Amino acid sequence: MNTKSIVLASTSPFRKSLLEKLNIPFECAKPETDESAQLNETPQKLVERLAIEKASAVSNTFINSLIIGSDQVAVCDNEILGKPHTFENAVNQLTKFSGKCVTFYTGLCVLNSQDDKVKSLVEPFHVHFKELSQKEITNYINAEQPLNCAGSFKSEGLGICLFEKLEGDDPNTLIGLPLIKLVKLLKEFDFDVLSNQQ
C-alpha cells in the first residue's frame, strides 16, 4: 500500500467521474493557471505544459501527495480549438468538423508533491466526423448544450451520433483523462491502483 494521497488538480466533473472509475480515494483541487498558448507552441507542448502547471499550482497545498494534472485541446486543420462557450461558436466548430478528422491531444502528468518529481505524456485521440447538415448540428447543440466541452460535443452522450469512427488507445482520453496511461504513471510512483482498492 502506498500512503500518498491522490489529488486531481481539476474541477472538471468529467475528469472527476473518470477518476472515480479507479475506485481509489482522491481529492479535487482548483488549479489557478493561465491557459493561454505561448508563441509558436505546438498543441502537444501546450497540453503537456498546462497539465504540469495545473498539478504544480496546487502542490503547495498538498503534502506527500501524488497530484494529477490534465489538459486537452482539439486540433482541426492545424488550428487549436477550445471550448465554444456560446451557441454560435459551437455551430461554427461542428460545421468546421463536418466530414473531417479532429485530433484531441490530452496532456497528463503526475507530480509527487514531496520532491516535485514529475512524469508527463501526451495522448492523442482521433475523431472522424460524418458529413453534418446545419439542422443536425443545431439539433445536437440544442439537445446536449455542449458549450463547456472542447470540440462542442460530449462523446459519452449524444455526440456519438456525429461520428463516423473513433481511433485511439483509450476511450476515456476523449472525455479528458487517459486512464490506461494514468494507471501506468501512478505505478511509476509506486502507487498500484489494484493494491489500493478499499
Side-chain angles (χ1 to χ4, degrees):
M1 293 276 286
N2 191 312
T3 54
K4 287 197 186 322
S5 59
I6 302 294
V7 178
L8 178 63
S10 175
T11 53
S12 160
F14 308 112
R15 288 197 177 101
K16 181 175 185 281
S17 66
L18 286 173
L19 189 53
E20 283 167 352
K21 289 183 180 187
L22 298 185
N23 197 37
I24 53 174
F26 68 92
E27 291 180 72
C28 290
K30 182 182 171 76
E32 297 294 343
T33 47
D34 176 2
E35 298 193 14
S36 311
Q38 294 174 351
L39 190 65
N40 299 324
E41 191 171 33
T42 65
Q44 295 95 319
K45 292 272 186 230
L46 171 67
V47 293
E48 188 168 18
R49 176 178 62 79
L50 289 179
I52 294 167
E53 285 182 7
K54 286 177 180 181
S56 300
V58 302
S59 65
N60 290 340
T61 315
F62 297 93
I63 291 121
N64 199 29
S65 298
L66 293 176
I67 302 170
I68 300 162
S70 187
D71 192 75
Q72 185 182 66
V73 293
V75 178
C76 182
D77 296 337
N78 296 316
E79 184 187 345
I80 295 178
L81 302 152
K83 296 169 183 172
H85 299 300
T86 68
F87 183 89
E88 293 72 26
N89 287 344
V91 169
N92 291 339
Q93 280 194 356
L94 291 177
T95 301
K96 182 181 175 67
F97 295 168
S98 176
K100 292 182 182 167
C101 175
V102 179
T103 300
F104 284 78
Y105 292 104
T106 303
L108 176 68
C109 95
V110 175
L111 180 150
N112 183 344
S113 66
Q114 200 173 20
D115 58 11
D116 286 334
K117 190 174 174 191
V118 173
K119 292 185 182 288
S120 63
L121 56 86
V122 176
E123 182 80 351
F125 199 93
H126 308 286
V127 179
H128 297 264
F129 280 80
K130 294 176 182 171
E131 294 282 351
L132 301 169
S133 68
Q134 284 301 299
K135 186 162 177 45
E136 286 172 317
I137 289 170
T138 54
N139 284 348
Y140 169 69
I141 297 167
N142 283 326
E144 198 151 62
Q145 296 290 315
L147 305 184
N148 205 27
C149 302
S152 305
F153 66 84
K154 296 179 185 174
S155 62
E156 68 277 23
L158 197 57
I160 210 79
C161 299
L162 308 173
F163 310 147
E164 200 69 58
K165 69 173 181 174
L166 301 173
E167 279 183 291
D169 293 340
D170 182 347
N172 298 298
T173 302
L174 190 52
I175 307 167
L177 199 61
L179 292 182
I180 292 173
K181 292 287 169 64
L182 176 58
V183 168
K184 193 176 167 192
L185 287 185
L186 289 171
K187 197 153 190 173
E188 289 180 27
F189 284 102
D190 298 321
F191 185 98
D192 181 71
V193 169
L194 292 177
S195 299
N196 282 272
Q197 292 301 300
Q198 304 184 335

